[in-house]
């Protein structure tokens, strides 16, 4: 009978590695007001490289103060390290400009889908007038971004193809 009980009992969690503190059960001390949630920053397009790694549409879910900022710092470190050490890596199969345009297109398609999702919130939820307005704006912007992304796609398809970098 003990074997049957063990079979249906969840295993004990693995022990913590030495030197690491246990994860606290609560993130806020009892009796204290809840922490204010972090909000995405306003980004100057000229400083885009300061935010090159993690999308804000991902970081917005990390609401405890400091969490998203910590990942932005890690992202800045990764971006700098990669730019300083990518030289021995294999080259892109297309020119750097064409590869950059494909990356921009991918990010635009992500943003197009994200804004379309925000635009559908008015159909899926009861929104207050301000949020319903913003949901409509998001739907409109999604269509505009689709137009811009379609334009990049057309230009990539119509631009003369070059030999891959390093091939001649």
């Amino acid at each position: 009978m003990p074997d049957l009980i063990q079979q249906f009992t969840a295993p004990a969690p693995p022990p913590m590695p030495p030197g690491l503190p246990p994860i606290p059960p609560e993130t806020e001390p009892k009796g204290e007001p809840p922490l204010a949630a972090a909000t995405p920053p306003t980004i100057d397009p000229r400083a885009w490289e300061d935010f090159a790694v993690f999308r804000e549409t991902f970081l917005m879910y990390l609401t405890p103060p400091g969490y998203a900022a910590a990942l932005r710092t890690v992202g800045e470190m990764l971006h700098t390290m990669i730019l300083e050490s990518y030289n021995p890596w294999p080259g892109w199969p297309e020119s750097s400009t064409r590869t950059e345009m494909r990356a921009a297109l991918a990010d635009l398609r992500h943003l197009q889908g994200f804004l379309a999702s925000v635009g559908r919130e008015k159909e899926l939820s009861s929104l207050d007038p301000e949020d319903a307005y913003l949901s409509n704006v998001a739907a409109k912007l999604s269509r505009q971004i689709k137009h811009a992304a379609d334009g990049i796609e057309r230009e990539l398809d119509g631009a003369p193809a070059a030999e891959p970098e390093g091939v001649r």
Side-chain angles (χ1 to χ4, degrees), residues 24-151:
E26 296 180 358
T27 58
E28 301 171 14
K30 287 187 179 190
E32 301 229 354
L35 299 171
T39 56
T42 299
I43 297 174
D44 180 348
R46 295 171 295 192
W48 69 269
E49 285 184 293
D50 294 344
F51 302 88
V53 178
F54 296 109
R55 289 186 176 114
E56 292 299 323
T57 53
F58 163 70
L59 294 175
M60 70 177 195
Y61 294 108
L62 303 174
T63 59
Y67 282 34
L71 279 183
R72 284 186 203 100
T73 300
V74 169
E76 183 180 340
M77 177 202 64
L78 288 171
H79 188 242
T80 301
M81 288 172 47
I82 288 168
L83 291 179
E84 291 177 358
S85 64
Y86 74 93
N87 196 22
W89 294 0
W92 293 312
E94 300 177 302
S95 73
S96 59
T97 302
R98 186 174 283 272
T99 301
E100 290 164 339
M101 291 295 285
R102 287 193 191 281
L105 174 61
D107 279 353
L108 284 174
R109 292 298 187 200
H110 166 80
L111 190 55
Q112 172 192 343
F114 180 81
L115 287 172
S117 176
V118 174
R120 285 189 298 274
E121 288 175 1
K122 66 186 179 299
E123 300 160 9
L124 304 173
S125 303
S126 296
L127 301 179
D128 64 33
E130 180 184 5
D131 285 346
Y133 170 79
L134 292 173
S135 180
N136 283 325
V137 169
K140 180 180 177 182
L141 289 172
S142 175
R143 291 187 297 274
Q144 291 174 354
I145 289 171
K146 177 190 182 314
H147 181 71
D150 290 347

